[in-house]
Amino acid sequence: MSTSVRGMRVHVADHPLVAHKLTLLRDERTESPTFRRLADELVTLLAYEATRDVRTEAITVQTPVAPAQGVRLSAPKPLVVPILRAGLGMLEGMQRLLPTAEVGFLGMIRDEHTLLASTYAERLPEDLSGRQCYVLDPMLATGGTLSAAIEFLAERGAEHVTAVCLLAAPEGVARVERDLAELAIPTTLVTAGLDQRLNDKGYIVPGLGDAGDRLYGVVS
Ligand code: URA
């Protein structure tokens, strides 16, 4: 299902395998090793949807029988940007479909009290002119982190941003749309589910809990 509200196209993947894997991810009994594998598989399914508009160019190859018209990814290559820490758990799943994409990193952390996002690490090309960027962040909750990440990429000239999120909350989607209204950057969200709401701690309900903790264990 795809909808477009004030600029951000929202695509909720509607597929029985996506729903099956998401249900297992949500289950609190699913332990980290299984959670990581499922998240990886789910991202690959989402990546298929997310790359529907990846830029290609026409080429001709020679089959054993005859020339055939085809396509290849065009330059500049897509840029995949996992948001540290939890976005790292989505990287391999994305690279499986886009093995030649470049990878940049953005470290963002959310203050548990103010829920505001700040950047603590960054490894990205200075010039993103003409680049299609794929931001990986498992949970679009308040939207603060994703807005800040998209703003960062837009300031460096990115042409288009697709956010790939396992789950999203309506409040987060609305916030990103509001924050990005000023920026002239087309944005797409591809997610496995749009959940009910946020709770007072900023967690998605019903969600799946803290994605980073479930992927990597609790760091105290
Ligand atoms: N981050 C998470 O990991 N889970 C949520 O529900 C919200 C933010």
Side-chain angles (χ1 to χ4, degrees), residues 4-168:
S4 187
V5 191
R6 271 185 297 166
M8 181 154 81
R9 194 165 70 86
V10 178
H11 180 83
V12 181
D14 177 19
H15 191 286
L17 283 181
V18 169
H20 170 75
K21 290 177 197 300
L22 177 60
T23 305
L24 290 169
L25 273 185
R26 290 187 193 276
D27 192 332
E28 64 180 4
R29 295 169 301 180
T30 301
E31 301 204 355
S32 277
T34 311
F35 190 97
R36 278 198 297 276
R37 182 178 53 74
L38 285 164
D40 176 76
E41 292 170 2
L42 192 50
V43 172
T44 301
L45 295 174
L46 295 180
Y48 179 73
E49 299 283 359
T51 51
R52 196 165 280 284
D53 294 323
V54 71
R55 234 183 349 245
T56 57
E57 61 193 15
I59 58 163
T60 304
V61 293
Q62 181 69 37
T63 79
V65 180
Q69 310 303 317
V71 298
R72 67 175 169 210
L73 294 187
S74 49
K77 291 274 190 284
L79 179 71
V80 176
V81 184
I83 308 287
L84 308 178
R85 137 183 99 133
L88 272 187
M90 300 172 72
L91 181 56
E92 271 189 47
M94 191 75 194
Q95 285 181 304
R96 194 166 294 120
L97 285 201
L98 275 182
T100 57
E102 261 181 67
V103 180
F105 296 92
L106 205 44
M108 305 200 109
I109 191 152
R110 182 172 79 142
D111 184 290
E112 290 303 325
H113 303 292
T114 64
L115 303 182
L116 294 175
S118 58
T119 306
Y120 67 86
E122 171 266 301
R123 192 72 202 261
L124 288 165
E126 284 298 324
D127 182 10
L128 294 177
S129 306
R131 302 295 290 266
Q132 290 179 305
C133 300
Y134 295 85
V135 172
L136 309 180
D137 194 7
M139 308 298 273
L140 171 47
T142 63
T145 303
L146 187 59
S147 274
I150 295 172
E151 222 172 297
F152 197 101
L153 299 173
E155 274 165 14
R156 295 208 174 171
E159 179 184 295
H160 186 277
V161 175
T162 301
V164 183
C165 301
L166 299 179
L167 279 178

Side-chain angles (χ1 to χ4, degrees), residues 86 110 138-142 198 202-205 207-213:
R110 182 172 79 142
M139 308 298 273
L140 171 47
T142 63
L198 293 181
Y203 278 86
I204 296 177
V205 180
L208 49 74
D210 186 303
D213 288 352

Side-chain angles (χ1 to χ4, degrees), residues 157-194:
E159 179 184 295
H160 186 277
V161 175
T162 301
V164 183
C165 301
L166 299 179
L167 279 178
E171 295 92 327
V173 173
R175 157 96 186 260
V176 174
E177 280 165 350
R178 213 172 44 243
D179 289 354
L180 299 182
E182 309 288 297
L183 300 176
I185 181 157
T187 309
T188 303
L189 166 68
V190 176
T191 184
L194 189 56

Side-chain angles (χ1 to χ4, degrees), residues 85-86 138 210-218:
R85 137 183 99 133
D210 186 303
D213 288 352
R214 296 203 61 193
L215 282 163
Y216 302 119
V218 180

